[in-house]
Amino acid sequence: MAYEEGQVSKIRKSKIHVPGIIYLIISTQIPFLYALWLSLHGWHLLEPYLGKPFVGFHNYYYELFKNPEFWMSIGKTGELVFGSLLLSLVGGTCLAIMLNRPFIGRNILRALILIPFLVTPSVSSIIWKNLMFNSNFGMVNWLFNVLHLPDVAWFSSIPLVSLIIITSWQWTPFFVLIVTAGLQSLPEEVVEASKVDGAGKLRTYIHIILPHLRNYYEAAILLGTIFVFQTFGKIYVATGGGPGSATTTLPFYTYQVAFIHWNIGHATTIGVFGVILAIIVANIMVRFLERDGGAQK
Amino acid sequence: MRVKRRLSLISIIYTMVTYLVGILFVFPVLWTVITGFKTESQAYSSSPLLWFEPTLHQFILALNGGFWGYFSNSLVASTVSTCLALILGIPCAYAMVFYMRRKQSKNLLFFVLSTRFMPFAAIIVPLYVIFKDLNLLNNIISLIVVYTSMNLPLVIWMSRSYFMDLPIEVLEASFLDGCSKWGTLLKVAIPMSSSGLTATALLSMVFAWNDFFFAVNLTFTNSSTLPIMVSSFMTNEQLFIAKVSALATLIIIIPVILGLYAQKHLVRGLTAGAIK
């Protein structure tokens, strides 16, 4: 028998959690409150003589109504998150199903497939940009030549697609892990019963396995959204946000405004919008999860 | 009999296809490791060169090009922050499971999760300004502080889920024997969930090791970490493919080994214990 939370609490009280919680508050909430304060002020580090005047919601008004780059960065973020998660979901499901039947060396192959997820993200960008997508000696272009397909100038002609490919390559193992956990929790008898009832493989998958996996997919998509949203190192190394602003997502745009234009007021405002966006997405997802009873336990 | 043989043939083909797809999937990493053992001119071959005399030359070059300074920064930042996160986080998780009312525990968990899911971009500017005022910019301490707060939620939710799996009788017995709460934590709860907690520590190291965002913004000019080293390599010496591959191999070895060692616990760690 295992503990339910709160089982012993009626008698004993403890304060041993306090240091950790205080640390979290100081290191995350205070910077965030400071960001809110900064976002209400004009502060340009390249023009220090202007000082830090209070400007109210001017920065927010500016980003929302006067700054098309801000909206573009939100659009790019959406495309990156949606594209990467869609590819990882499909690829991860296929791989998980292929790896779910017993064969010799399955555990080794499972471990191998996990590797892209563990590779340092900025390094994965370097690998793909130079060894795979390079137009002279990249392996992908070599393969395209062998197959008599036209050469593709990956990062210069389709930068966002290239970035989505790299990102989904890194996140596919995450979906493999979660879908595998889902498949393994599926009661064997249910699948057997469906076979006995004469359902084909595809029908078993659609009517039995997929509904069972739904909660796992939802968890994977929610967490994937939150993590892929943060993508930064890959963009920095592979494209630097470019060409133009083709791969400037919200975190990267925040970085540019803060540390290239040194406009602190605007950068913190964009950051605050990032938090608002994350809260909205998380809330939609939670609603979605709770709609019909939520995740099964 | 015949049907069975045909079935097994199909299954052999299916297995081979699985192997092919799996190896193609990790091919970029395998190819990087292989390229690290080539000379530059071999690395620039436009068709894949598989037979060549491997050389350690690129690795020696990479190791002698300032590698160890960045390496020690990476190592210190990830290990110290992991230790701090464990020291602060395990008592949190312990109190949440054994000393709190369910509602309080849930609320606290929600707060902890929300700090991890907050976009880093939202707090990077204030952190930069604060560290600048404290004279900690380009100092490894700033990375340790940030990685600790990045990994603390991970440690709390993972160890919470391991503590919840502990058998109730053993802990009750320890309390009845007069063990204090620290005694029970250190002598019973932690040893009993040691394999899970080890995995937690390893994952937390991987996250810190792989970070780019904080390292590039807080410590770019000095005391930076390996991911920053390899990225500056790209812009300055773009032509040295084999050397970059050797360096990339050296950087990814550690997170790959640590992650594979902890792979059984990855799902729990990544989904906040919602899926085991």
Side-chain angles (χ1 to χ4, degrees), chain A residues 1-6 17 23 27 31 101 104 112 118 120 130 137 142 169 230 255, chain B residues 11 14-15 19 25-26 48 92 98 100 102 105 120 126 145 149 160 164 168 210 217 234:
Chain A
M1 178 180 176
Y3 266 103
E4 279 291 313
E5 275 171 293
H17 62 285
Y23 187 91
S27 60
R101 50 184 274 282
I104 299 159
L112 266 183
L118 301 166
T120 313
N130 294 297
F137 45 87
W142 169 80
W169 177 72
Q230 307 257 27
Y255 157 80
Chain B
S11 104
Y14 194 22
T15 304
Y19 266 97
F25 185 68
V26 280
C92 265
F98 300 117
M100 277 180 204
R102 187 173 299 188
S105 171
F120 297 152
V145 168
S149 75
R160 173 182 160 275
M164 283 170 74
I168 188 165
N210 282 350
N217 288 318
M234 280 271 301

mmCIF file of all heavy atoms in Angstrom, chain A residues 1-6 17 23 27 31 101 104 112 118 120 130 137 142 169 230 255, chain B residues 11 14-15 19 25-26 48 92 98 100 102 105 120 126 145 149 160 164 168 210 217 234:
data_model
loop_
_atom_site.group_PDB
_atom_site.id
_atom_site.type_symbol
_atom_site.label_atom_id
_atom_site.label_comp_id
_atom_site.label_asym_id
_atom_site.label_seq_id
_atom_site.Cartn_x
_atom_site.Cartn_y
_atom_site.Cartn_z
ATOM 1 N N MET A 1 0.839 -1.207 0.000
ATOM 2 C CA MET A 1 0.000 0.000 0.000
ATOM 3 C C MET A 1 0.871 1.253 0.000
ATOM 4 O O MET A 1 1.884 1.331 0.665
ATOM 5 C CB MET A 1 -0.878 -0.008 1.247
ATOM 6 C CG MET A 1 -1.734 1.239 1.316
ATOM 7 S SD MET A 1 -2.769 1.241 2.761
ATOM 8 C CE MET A 1 -3.496 2.850 2.567
ATOM 9 N N ALA A 2 0.474 2.217 -0.751
ATOM 10 C CA ALA A 2 1.278 3.437 -0.858
ATOM 11 C C ALA A 2 0.573 4.601 -0.188
ATOM 12 O O ALA A 2 -0.629 4.547 0.071
ATOM 13 C CB ALA A 2 1.529 3.756 -2.318
ATOM 14 N N TYR A 3 1.326 5.617 0.078
ATOM 15 C CA TYR A 3 0.784 6.795 0.721
ATOM 16 C C TYR A 3 -0.131 7.579 -0.202
ATOM 17 O O TYR A 3 0.137 7.741 -1.370
ATOM 18 C CB TYR A 3 1.919 7.743 1.132
ATOM 19 C CG TYR A 3 2.367 7.531 2.525
ATOM 20 C CD1 TYR A 3 3.542 6.862 2.797
ATOM 21 C CD2 TYR A 3 1.601 8.014 3.583
ATOM 22 C CE1 TYR A 3 3.965 6.659 4.083
ATOM 23 C CE2 TYR A 3 2.027 7.816 4.881
ATOM 24 C CZ TYR A 3 3.205 7.149 5.126
ATOM 25 O OH TYR A 3 3.614 6.970 6.404
ATOM 26 N N GLU A 4 -1.202 8.063 0.375
ATOM 27 C CA GLU A 4 -1.944 9.131 -0.278
ATOM 28 C C GLU A 4 -1.388 10.404 0.323
ATOM 29 O O GLU A 4 -1.008 10.438 1.490
ATOM 30 C CB GLU A 4 -3.434 9.024 0.049
ATOM 31 C CG GLU A 4 -4.177 8.013 -0.793
ATOM 32 C CD GLU A 4 -4.282 8.448 -2.241
ATOM 33 O OE1 GLU A 4 -4.629 9.618 -2.473
ATOM 34 O OE2 GLU A 4 -4.004 7.624 -3.123
ATOM 35 N N GLU A 5 -1.363 11.457 -0.467
ATOM 36 C CA GLU A 5 -0.846 12.699 0.086
ATOM 37 C C GLU A 5 -1.668 13.128 1.289
ATOM 38 O O GLU A 5 -2.882 12.986 1.304
ATOM 39 C CB GLU A 5 -0.934 13.801 -0.947
ATOM 40 C CG GLU A 5 0.253 13.811 -1.858
ATOM 41 C CD GLU A 5 0.013 14.774 -2.975
ATOM 42 O OE1 GLU A 5 -0.873 14.519 -3.794
ATOM 43 O OE2 GLU A 5 0.697 15.799 -2.997
ATOM 44 N N GLY A 6 -1.000 13.696 2.272
ATOM 45 C CA GLY A 6 -1.715 14.285 3.390
ATOM 46 C C GLY A 6 -2.139 13.286 4.450
ATOM 47 O O GLY A 6 -2.892 13.608 5.359
ATOM 48 N N HIS A 17 9.819 22.268 3.955
ATOM 49 C CA HIS A 17 9.702 22.652 2.546
ATOM 50 C C HIS A 17 9.981 24.131 2.337
ATOM 51 O O HIS A 17 10.129 24.578 1.204
ATOM 52 C CB HIS A 17 8.300 22.322 2.036
ATOM 53 C CG HIS A 17 7.224 23.072 2.767
ATOM 54 N ND1 HIS A 17 6.833 22.742 4.046
ATOM 55 C CD2 HIS A 17 6.485 24.141 2.402
ATOM 56 C CE1 HIS A 17 5.882 23.578 4.438
ATOM 57 N NE2 HIS A 17 5.656 24.433 3.455
ATOM 58 N N TYR A 23 13.304 29.763 -2.177
ATOM 59 C CA TYR A 23 14.261 29.877 -3.271
ATOM 60 C C TYR A 23 13.532 30.062 -4.603
ATOM 61 O O TYR A 23 13.889 30.918 -5.424
ATOM 62 C CB TYR A 23 15.164 28.642 -3.334
ATOM 63 C CG TYR A 23 16.282 28.793 -4.340
ATOM 64 C CD1 TYR A 23 17.511 29.309 -3.958
ATOM 65 C CD2 TYR A 23 16.102 28.455 -5.682
ATOM 66 C CE1 TYR A 23 18.521 29.484 -4.878
ATOM 67 C CE2 TYR A 23 17.096 28.619 -6.609
ATOM 68 C CZ TYR A 23 18.311 29.133 -6.205
ATOM 69 O OH TYR A 23 19.313 29.313 -7.123
ATOM 70 N N SER A 27 13.827 33.348 -6.930
ATOM 71 C CA SER A 27 14.512 33.264 -8.223
ATOM 72 C C SER A 27 13.568 33.348 -9.417
ATOM 73 O O SER A 27 14.020 33.582 -10.528
ATOM 74 C CB SER A 27 15.327 31.975 -8.295
ATOM 75 O OG SER A 27 14.483 30.867 -8.161
ATOM 76 N N PRO A 31 12.055 38.165 -10.141
ATOM 77 C CA PRO A 31 12.383 38.630 -11.499
ATOM 78 C C PRO A 31 11.145 38.927 -12.340
ATOM 79 O O PRO A 31 11.132 39.891 -13.105
ATOM 80 C CB PRO A 31 13.184 37.475 -12.090
ATOM 81 C CG PRO A 31 13.764 36.792 -10.929
ATOM 82 C CD PRO A 31 12.774 36.941 -9.822
ATOM 83 N N ARG A 101 6.569 -4.497 -30.638
ATOM 84 C CA ARG A 101 6.506 -5.951 -30.753
ATOM 85 C C ARG A 101 7.862 -6.531 -30.390
ATOM 86 O O ARG A 101 8.896 -5.890 -30.596
ATOM 87 C CB ARG A 101 6.091 -6.360 -32.155
ATOM 88 C CG ARG A 101 6.897 -5.678 -33.235
ATOM 89 C CD ARG A 101 6.382 -6.039 -34.593
ATOM 90 N NE ARG A 101 6.975 -7.273 -35.077
ATOM 91 C CZ ARG A 101 8.197 -7.349 -35.582
ATOM 92 N NH1 ARG A 101 8.971 -6.306 -35.632
ATOM 93 N NH2 ARG A 101 8.650 -8.508 -36.035
ATOM 94 N N ILE A 104 14.623 -9.322 -31.446
ATOM 95 C CA ILE A 104 15.968 -9.344 -30.865
ATOM 96 C C ILE A 104 16.575 -7.939 -30.907
ATOM 97 O O ILE A 104 16.537 -7.270 -31.931
ATOM 98 C CB ILE A 104 16.876 -10.335 -31.626
ATOM 99 C CG1 ILE A 104 16.282 -11.740 -31.526
ATOM 100 C CG2 ILE A 104 18.300 -10.319 -31.072
ATOM 101 C CD1 ILE A 104 16.774 -12.683 -32.599
ATOM 102 N N LEU A 112 18.834 3.599 -28.635
ATOM 103 C CA LEU A 112 19.385 4.382 -29.750
ATOM 104 C C LEU A 112 18.431 5.506 -30.142
ATOM 105 O O LEU A 112 18.844 6.645 -30.366
ATOM 106 C CB LEU A 112 19.590 3.473 -30.963
ATOM 107 C CG LEU A 112 20.957 2.848 -31.172
ATOM 108 C CD1 LEU A 112 20.969 2.046 -32.461
ATOM 109 C CD2 LEU A 112 22.029 3.926 -31.234
ATOM 110 N N LEU A 118 18.379 13.553 -26.199
ATOM 111 C CA LEU A 118 19.369 13.897 -25.176
ATOM 112 C C LEU A 118 20.475 14.803 -25.708
ATOM 113 O O LEU A 118 21.178 15.450 -24.949
ATOM 114 C CB LEU A 118 19.992 12.613 -24.605
ATOM 115 C CG LEU A 118 18.992 11.644 -23.968
ATOM 116 C CD1 LEU A 118 19.636 10.288 -23.753
ATOM 117 C CD2 LEU A 118 18.483 12.209 -22.655
ATOM 118 N N THR A 120 22.450 17.845 -26.926
ATOM 119 C CA THR A 120 22.352 19.277 -26.666
ATOM 120 C C THR A 120 21.684 19.984 -27.849
ATOM 121 O O THR A 120 22.159 19.858 -28.973
ATOM 122 C CB THR A 120 23.768 19.836 -26.457
ATOM 123 O OG1 THR A 120 24.469 18.972 -25.555
ATOM 124 C CG2 THR A 120 23.743 21.230 -25.892
ATOM 125 N N ASN A 130 25.353 21.536 -40.795
ATOM 126 C CA ASN A 130 26.613 21.289 -41.494
ATOM 127 C C ASN A 130 26.726 19.903 -42.103
ATOM 128 O O ASN A 130 27.217 19.770 -43.214
ATOM 129 C CB ASN A 130 27.790 21.516 -40.547
ATOM 130 C CG ASN A 130 27.886 22.959 -40.158
ATOM 131 O OD1 ASN A 130 28.109 23.810 -41.000
ATOM 132 N ND2 ASN A 130 27.665 23.233 -38.887
ATOM 133 N N PHE A 137 28.318 19.091 -49.066
ATOM 134 C CA PHE A 137 28.703 17.782 -48.527
ATOM 135 C C PHE A 137 27.695 17.268 -47.503
ATOM 136 O O PHE A 137 27.986 16.353 -46.749
ATOM 137 C CB PHE A 137 30.106 17.855 -47.917
ATOM 138 C CG PHE A 137 30.315 19.067 -47.064
ATOM 139 C CD1 PHE A 137 29.978 19.055 -45.735
ATOM 140 C CD2 PHE A 137 30.831 20.227 -47.620
ATOM 141 C CE1 PHE A 137 30.147 20.180 -44.957
ATOM 142 C CE2 PHE A 137 30.999 21.357 -46.838
ATOM 143 C CZ PHE A 137 30.660 21.330 -45.519
ATOM 144 N N TRP A 142 23.117 14.780 -50.593
ATOM 145 C CA TRP A 142 23.697 13.650 -51.324
ATOM 146 C C TRP A 142 22.589 12.638 -51.674
ATOM 147 O O TRP A 142 22.490 12.172 -52.810
ATOM 148 C CB TRP A 142 24.770 12.975 -50.471
ATOM 149 C CG TRP A 142 25.219 11.676 -51.047
ATOM 150 C CD1 TRP A 142 26.112 11.506 -52.079
ATOM 151 C CD2 TRP A 142 24.782 10.368 -50.673
ATOM 152 N NE1 TRP A 142 26.255 10.185 -52.360
ATOM 153 C CE2 TRP A 142 25.452 9.456 -51.521
ATOM 154 C CE3 TRP A 142 23.903 9.882 -49.710
ATOM 155 C CZ2 TRP A 142 25.262 8.073 -51.413
ATOM 156 C CZ3 TRP A 142 23.701 8.518 -49.615
ATOM 157 C CH2 TRP A 142 24.386 7.629 -50.463
ATOM 158 N N TRP A 169 12.748 16.224 -34.972
ATOM 159 C CA TRP A 169 13.701 15.123 -34.791
ATOM 160 C C TRP A 169 14.067 14.978 -33.315
ATOM 161 O O TRP A 169 14.113 13.870 -32.770
ATOM 162 C CB TRP A 169 14.948 15.392 -35.634
ATOM 163 C CG TRP A 169 16.046 14.381 -35.491
ATOM 164 C CD1 TRP A 169 16.044 13.103 -35.965
ATOM 165 C CD2 TRP A 169 17.316 14.568 -34.863
ATOM 166 N NE1 TRP A 169 17.233 12.489 -35.659
ATOM 167 C CE2 TRP A 169 18.033 13.368 -34.985
ATOM 168 C CE3 TRP A 169 17.929 15.646 -34.202
ATOM 169 C CZ2 TRP A 169 19.328 13.195 -34.477
ATOM 170 C CZ3 TRP A 169 19.206 15.481 -33.705
ATOM 171 C CH2 TRP A 169 19.886 14.272 -33.848
ATOM 172 N N GLN A 230 9.896 27.236 -25.918
ATOM 173 C CA GLN A 230 11.135 27.822 -25.370
ATOM 174 C C GLN A 230 12.322 27.732 -26.320
ATOM 175 O O GLN A 230 13.386 28.254 -26.009
ATOM 176 C CB GLN A 230 11.523 27.097 -24.070
ATOM 177 C CG GLN A 230 10.440 27.028 -23.041
ATOM 178 C CD GLN A 230 10.661 28.022 -21.931
ATOM 179 O OE1 GLN A 230 11.290 29.048 -22.124
ATOM 180 N NE2 GLN A 230 10.141 27.725 -20.758
ATOM 181 N N TYR A 255 14.955 38.200 -27.103
ATOM 182 C CA TYR A 255 16.418 38.276 -27.006
ATOM 183 C C TYR A 255 16.964 39.405 -27.884
ATOM 184 O O TYR A 255 17.801 40.198 -27.441
ATOM 185 C CB TYR A 255 17.011 36.920 -27.409
ATOM 186 C CG TYR A 255 18.443 36.986 -27.875
ATOM 187 C CD1 TYR A 255 19.490 37.047 -26.958
ATOM 188 C CD2 TYR A 255 18.742 37.013 -29.232
ATOM 189 C CE1 TYR A 255 20.792 37.119 -27.393
ATOM 190 C CE2 TYR A 255 20.050 37.084 -29.674
ATOM 191 C CZ TYR A 255 21.068 37.143 -28.752
ATOM 192 O OH TYR A 255 22.362 37.235 -29.182
ATOM 193 N N SER B 11 7.752 -11.384 -40.271
ATOM 194 C CA SER B 11 8.196 -10.724 -39.045
ATOM 195 C C SER B 11 9.687 -10.389 -39.114
ATOM 196 O O SER B 11 10.128 -9.381 -38.580
ATOM 197 C CB SER B 11 7.842 -11.578 -37.829
ATOM 198 O OG SER B 11 8.984 -12.220 -37.335
ATOM 199 N N TYR B 14 9.844 -7.267 -41.153
ATOM 200 C CA TYR B 14 9.356 -6.168 -40.326
ATOM 201 C C TYR B 14 10.445 -5.709 -39.354
ATOM 202 O O TYR B 14 10.701 -4.521 -39.183
ATOM 203 C CB TYR B 14 8.112 -6.640 -39.581
ATOM 204 C CG TYR B 14 7.297 -5.545 -38.941
ATOM 205 C CD1 TYR B 14 7.384 -4.222 -39.376
ATOM 206 C CD2 TYR B 14 6.417 -5.829 -37.895
ATOM 207 C CE1 TYR B 14 6.635 -3.226 -38.803
ATOM 208 C CE2 TYR B 14 5.667 -4.830 -37.300
ATOM 209 C CZ TYR B 14 5.773 -3.539 -37.756
ATOM 210 O OH TYR B 14 5.033 -2.554 -37.167
ATOM 211 N N THR B 15 11.128 -6.689 -38.738
ATOM 212 C CA THR B 15 12.213 -6.354 -37.816
ATOM 213 C C THR B 15 13.319 -5.602 -38.526
ATOM 214 O O THR B 15 13.839 -4.605 -38.018
ATOM 215 C CB THR B 15 12.776 -7.646 -37.181
ATOM 216 O OG1 THR B 15 11.712 -8.345 -36.543
ATOM 217 C CG2 THR B 15 13.868 -7.333 -36.178
ATOM 218 N N TYR B 19 14.752 -1.886 -37.783
ATOM 219 C CA TYR B 19 16.170 -1.543 -37.578
ATOM 220 C C TYR B 19 16.607 -0.432 -38.521
ATOM 221 O O TYR B 19 17.284 0.518 -38.122
ATOM 222 C CB TYR B 19 17.051 -2.782 -37.788
ATOM 223 C CG TYR B 19 17.344 -3.502 -36.489
ATOM 224 C CD1 TYR B 19 16.605 -4.604 -36.100
ATOM 225 C CD2 TYR B 19 18.360 -3.055 -35.658
ATOM 226 C CE1 TYR B 19 16.853 -5.250 -34.905
ATOM 227 C CE2 TYR B 19 18.623 -3.691 -34.461
ATOM 228 C CZ TYR B 19 17.868 -4.799 -34.094
ATOM 229 O OH TYR B 19 18.128 -5.413 -32.910
ATOM 230 N N PHE B 25 17.131 7.121 -38.214
ATOM 231 C CA PHE B 25 16.694 8.170 -37.299
ATOM 232 C C PHE B 25 17.865 8.735 -36.489
ATOM 233 O O PHE B 25 17.957 9.932 -36.279
ATOM 234 C CB PHE B 25 15.606 7.612 -36.371
ATOM 235 C CG PHE B 25 15.000 8.637 -35.465
ATOM 236 C CD1 PHE B 25 14.210 9.646 -35.973
ATOM 237 C CD2 PHE B 25 15.224 8.588 -34.106
ATOM 238 C CE1 PHE B 25 13.658 10.596 -35.155
ATOM 239 C CE2 PHE B 25 14.669 9.539 -33.262
ATOM 240 C CZ PHE B 25 13.877 10.541 -33.802
ATOM 241 N N VAL B 26 18.760 7.858 -36.045
ATOM 242 C CA VAL B 26 19.910 8.360 -35.270
ATOM 243 C C VAL B 26 21.114 8.627 -36.153
ATOM 244 O O VAL B 26 22.172 9.021 -35.659
ATOM 245 C CB VAL B 26 20.353 7.402 -34.134
ATOM 246 C CG1 VAL B 26 19.485 7.549 -32.938
ATOM 247 C CG2 VAL B 26 20.440 5.989 -34.596
ATOM 248 N N PRO B 48 29.074 10.048 -49.188
ATOM 249 C CA PRO B 48 29.429 9.533 -47.863
ATOM 250 C C PRO B 48 30.630 8.598 -47.909
ATOM 251 O O PRO B 48 30.627 7.596 -48.614
ATOM 252 C CB PRO B 48 28.165 8.794 -47.416
ATOM 253 C CG PRO B 48 27.373 8.591 -48.640
ATOM 254 C CD PRO B 48 27.735 9.652 -49.602
ATOM 255 N N CYS B 92 11.247 19.426 0.317
ATOM 256 C CA CYS B 92 9.966 19.940 -0.171
ATOM 257 C C CYS B 92 9.015 18.803 -0.513
ATOM 258 O O CYS B 92 7.859 18.772 -0.069
ATOM 259 C CB CYS B 92 10.183 20.740 -1.449
ATOM 260 S SG CYS B 92 10.344 22.473 -1.195
ATOM 261 N N PHE B 98 4.138 13.885 3.106
ATOM 262 C CA PHE B 98 3.880 13.360 4.448
ATOM 263 C C PHE B 98 3.378 14.361 5.470
ATOM 264 O O PHE B 98 2.924 13.982 6.530
ATOM 265 C CB PHE B 98 5.144 12.688 4.989
ATOM 266 C CG PHE B 98 5.606 11.551 4.134
ATOM 267 C CD1 PHE B 98 6.840 11.595 3.500
ATOM 268 C CD2 PHE B 98 4.787 10.449 3.932
ATOM 269 C CE1 PHE B 98 7.255 10.548 2.693
ATOM 270 C CE2 PHE B 98 5.194 9.407 3.130
ATOM 271 C CZ PHE B 98 6.431 9.450 2.513
ATOM 272 N N MET B 100 1.535 17.477 4.619
ATOM 273 C CA MET B 100 0.592 18.514 4.207
ATOM 274 C C MET B 100 -0.780 17.934 3.961
ATOM 275 O O MET B 100 -0.929 16.786 3.583
ATOM 276 C CB MET B 100 1.084 19.152 2.914
ATOM 277 C CG MET B 100 2.104 20.217 3.155
ATOM 278 S SD MET B 100 2.603 20.899 1.601
ATOM 279 C CE MET B 100 4.198 21.504 2.065
ATOM 280 N N ARG B 102 -4.009 17.528 1.691
ATOM 281 C CA ARG B 102 -3.990 17.284 0.248
ATOM 282 C C ARG B 102 -4.121 18.565 -0.566
ATOM 283 O O ARG B 102 -3.432 18.783 -1.544
ATOM 284 C CB ARG B 102 -5.120 16.316 -0.105
ATOM 285 C CG ARG B 102 -5.052 15.885 -1.542
ATOM 286 C CD ARG B 102 -6.041 14.817 -1.818
ATOM 287 N NE ARG B 102 -5.785 13.631 -1.008
ATOM 288 C CZ ARG B 102 -6.423 12.479 -1.169
ATOM 289 N NH1 ARG B 102 -7.348 12.385 -2.088
ATOM 290 N NH2 ARG B 102 -6.154 11.444 -0.409
ATOM 291 N N SER B 105 -0.970 20.628 -0.510
ATOM 292 C CA SER B 105 0.048 19.971 -1.306
ATOM 293 C C SER B 105 -0.196 20.181 -2.799
ATOM 294 O O SER B 105 0.720 20.481 -3.564
ATOM 295 C CB SER B 105 0.054 18.483 -0.966
ATOM 296 O OG SER B 105 0.870 17.789 -1.842
ATOM 297 N N PHE B 120 11.247 31.215 -20.265
ATOM 298 C CA PHE B 120 12.496 31.799 -19.760
ATOM 299 C C PHE B 120 12.675 33.228 -20.258
ATOM 300 O O PHE B 120 13.254 34.070 -19.594
ATOM 301 C CB PHE B 120 13.695 30.959 -20.205
ATOM 302 C CG PHE B 120 13.690 29.566 -19.648
ATOM 303 C CD1 PHE B 120 14.312 28.531 -20.341
ATOM 304 C CD2 PHE B 120 13.085 29.283 -18.443
ATOM 305 C CE1 PHE B 120 14.321 27.243 -19.838
ATOM 306 C CE2 PHE B 120 13.082 27.995 -17.925
ATOM 307 C CZ PHE B 120 13.705 26.982 -18.633
ATOM 308 N N PRO B 126 15.128 40.898 -16.520
ATOM 309 C CA PRO B 126 15.339 41.237 -15.114
ATOM 310 C C PRO B 126 16.524 40.499 -14.492
ATOM 311 O O PRO B 126 17.292 41.108 -13.743
ATOM 312 C CB PRO B 126 14.037 40.816 -14.431
ATOM 313 C CG PRO B 126 13.114 40.419 -15.488
ATOM 314 C CD PRO B 126 13.759 40.486 -16.800
ATOM 315 N N VAL B 145 22.843 29.707 -9.952
ATOM 316 C CA VAL B 145 21.582 30.196 -9.371
ATOM 317 C C VAL B 145 20.415 29.873 -10.301
ATOM 318 O O VAL B 145 19.382 29.342 -9.876
ATOM 319 C CB VAL B 145 21.663 31.723 -9.121
ATOM 320 C CG1 VAL B 145 20.286 32.286 -8.796
ATOM 321 C CG2 VAL B 145 22.654 32.024 -8.014
ATOM 322 N N SER B 149 17.188 26.981 -9.924
ATOM 323 C CA SER B 149 15.746 27.246 -9.925
ATOM 324 C C SER B 149 15.061 26.574 -11.108
ATOM 325 O O SER B 149 13.885 26.257 -11.055
ATOM 326 C CB SER B 149 15.462 28.748 -9.890
ATOM 327 O OG SER B 149 15.701 29.329 -11.118
ATOM 328 N N ARG B 160 8.663 13.684 -5.330
ATOM 329 C CA ARG B 160 7.317 13.545 -4.767
ATOM 330 C C ARG B 160 6.671 12.254 -5.258
ATOM 331 O O ARG B 160 6.100 11.485 -4.472
ATOM 332 C CB ARG B 160 6.472 14.748 -5.180
ATOM 333 C CG ARG B 160 5.016 14.648 -4.790
ATOM 334 C CD ARG B 160 4.261 15.872 -5.280
ATOM 335 N NE ARG B 160 2.833 15.621 -5.345
ATOM 336 C CZ ARG B 160 2.219 15.053 -6.371
ATOM 337 N NH1 ARG B 160 2.913 14.680 -7.428
ATOM 338 N NH2 ARG B 160 0.929 14.858 -6.340
ATOM 339 N N MET B 164 5.635 8.995 -2.938
ATOM 340 C CA MET B 164 4.261 8.516 -2.863
ATOM 341 C C MET B 164 4.173 7.009 -3.092
ATOM 342 O O MET B 164 3.189 6.378 -2.710
ATOM 343 C CB MET B 164 3.380 9.260 -3.873
ATOM 344 C CG MET B 164 3.017 10.663 -3.396
ATOM 345 S SD MET B 164 2.235 11.654 -4.664
ATOM 346 C CE MET B 164 0.622 10.892 -4.703
ATOM 347 N N ILE B 168 3.651 2.314 3.153
ATOM 348 C CA ILE B 168 3.282 3.095 4.350
ATOM 349 C C ILE B 168 3.817 2.470 5.636
ATOM 350 O O ILE B 168 4.262 3.171 6.545
ATOM 351 C CB ILE B 168 1.742 3.231 4.393
ATOM 352 C CG1 ILE B 168 1.304 4.205 5.491
ATOM 353 C CG2 ILE B 168 1.053 1.900 4.569
ATOM 354 C CD1 ILE B 168 -0.146 4.646 5.317
ATOM 355 N N ASN B 210 22.691 20.973 -21.075
ATOM 356 C CA ASN B 210 22.216 21.284 -22.417
ATOM 357 C C ASN B 210 21.722 22.717 -22.590
ATOM 358 O O ASN B 210 21.395 23.126 -23.687
ATOM 359 C CB ASN B 210 21.091 20.325 -22.819
ATOM 360 C CG ASN B 210 21.630 18.970 -23.236
ATOM 361 O OD1 ASN B 210 22.835 18.806 -23.402
ATOM 362 N ND2 ASN B 210 20.743 18.010 -23.401
ATOM 363 N N ASN B 217 23.201 34.388 -22.608
ATOM 364 C CA ASN B 217 22.800 35.721 -22.196
ATOM 365 C C ASN B 217 23.478 36.198 -20.916
ATOM 366 O O ASN B 217 23.631 37.394 -20.714
ATOM 367 C CB ASN B 217 21.278 35.782 -22.008
ATOM 368 C CG ASN B 217 20.579 35.747 -23.342
ATOM 369 O OD1 ASN B 217 21.010 36.400 -24.292
ATOM 370 N ND2 ASN B 217 19.508 34.980 -23.439
ATOM 371 N N MET B 234 31.378 27.811 -34.755
ATOM 372 C CA MET B 234 30.652 27.839 -36.022
ATOM 373 C C MET B 234 30.876 29.136 -36.757
ATOM 374 O O MET B 234 31.095 29.162 -37.956
ATOM 375 C CB MET B 234 29.152 27.727 -35.739
ATOM 376 C CG MET B 234 28.690 26.353 -35.483
ATOM 377 S SD MET B 234 28.255 25.605 -37.016
ATOM 378 C CE MET B 234 26.990 26.717 -37.611
#
